Structures are given as structure tokens and as C-alpha cells.
Amino acid sequence: MSYIDENLPGNLRLLRLSAGISQEKLASSIHLARSTYSAYENGTKTIDLQTLDALSAFFDINLDSLINYDLSEGLLNKIYFNEQNRYLAGLLSTYQRLSVTSKFLIALKISALEDKK
């Protein structure tokens, strides 16, 4: 099992259930057989990049978050599944792509702002 397979099947299931749609409807929407989509969601079949891209677009979530993060835990879950926080989800996604140095500089700025209170 690859690192991708650790998070992806659970994320696909969580996103689909959160959207309230069946495997059949989702598979049809991205031009797959239900059995193929089911195998992706169960982690028994390796998913190709084109399908990953289609799923990312379908769920309106960046590919990095879909693959690399367990969306059922913590802050990502609260952000991605609360419609009012879509903007915050975009900011978090951008932050996750920053270098360690950039993240450190942001932490310093936040600390300086907190000190001014």
C-alpha cells in the first residue's frame, strides 16, 4: 500500500457521503463504472492521475489535500465540510504549499501581532 492509498480511499468515501450522493451517481458524473469507483474507494484498485483530477474537481478540493491528508481529522474536516469556511479552506491550502521558511516567517508575524494586543 502506498502513502497515497493510506488517505485516499477514506477521503473519497467521506467526501462522497458528505455530498450525500451514491457511488453510482458519482461514478456516472466522472464517466466511470460504479464498480471501478467502488474499487478506488475501497483501496483495491490504483487510481490514475486523470481520475484523481476529475475527483478533485468534482469535490472542489485541491489534489494535495485529497491525497495527502486524512480529511476525517482535525482542522481540515471542520473547514472542508462547513460551507461558510470555503475561503479559509483556500487559505489553509495555500499555507500548506509554502516552504518551511515562509511558514516560520508567518508564525513570527502572528506572534508579533499577538504581542501588540
Side-chain angles (χ1 to χ4, degrees):
M1 182 180 278
S2 73
Y3 178 72
I4 289 174
D5 294 334
E6 290 178 18
N7 293 312
L8 185 60
N11 286 346
L12 291 175
R13 181 169 167 44
L14 180 66
L15 289 164
R16 180 181 59 78
L17 293 174
S18 295
I21 59 174
S22 68
Q23 286 184 345
E24 182 71 38
K25 182 175 179 182
L26 174 56
S28 175
S29 296
I30 60 170
H31 310 290
L32 290 175
R34 188 211 53 82
S35 60
T36 300
Y37 175 77
S38 179
Y40 294 150
E41 196 173 283
N42 292 324
T44 58
K45 182 173 178 140
T46 302
I47 192 167
D48 61 90
L49 187 56
Q50 183 178 0
T51 303
L52 275 173
D53 189 49
L55 288 164
S56 175
F58 182 87
F59 289 120
D60 191 26
I61 187 170
N62 72 49
L63 200 52
D64 181 52
S65 294
L66 180 62
I67 295 170
N68 293 317
Y69 299 96
D70 181 351
L71 298 178
S72 68
E73 295 182 358
L75 183 60
L76 285 173
N77 182 36
K78 292 175 184 170
I79 292 171
Y80 280 109
F81 303 114
N82 181 342
E83 187 65 35
Q84 296 173 350
N85 290 329
R86 285 292 213 200
Y87 178 72
L88 184 55
L91 289 175
L92 180 60
S93 178
T94 301
Y95 176 81
Q96 290 170 338
R97 291 189 300 268
L98 294 175
S99 68
V100 173
T101 303
S102 294
K103 289 177 182 177
F104 178 74
L105 292 173
I106 289 171
L108 286 176
K109 294 286 185 182
I110 290 171
S111 180
L113 289 171
E114 288 175 340
D115 289 343
K116 289 183 178 181
K117 287 183 180 182

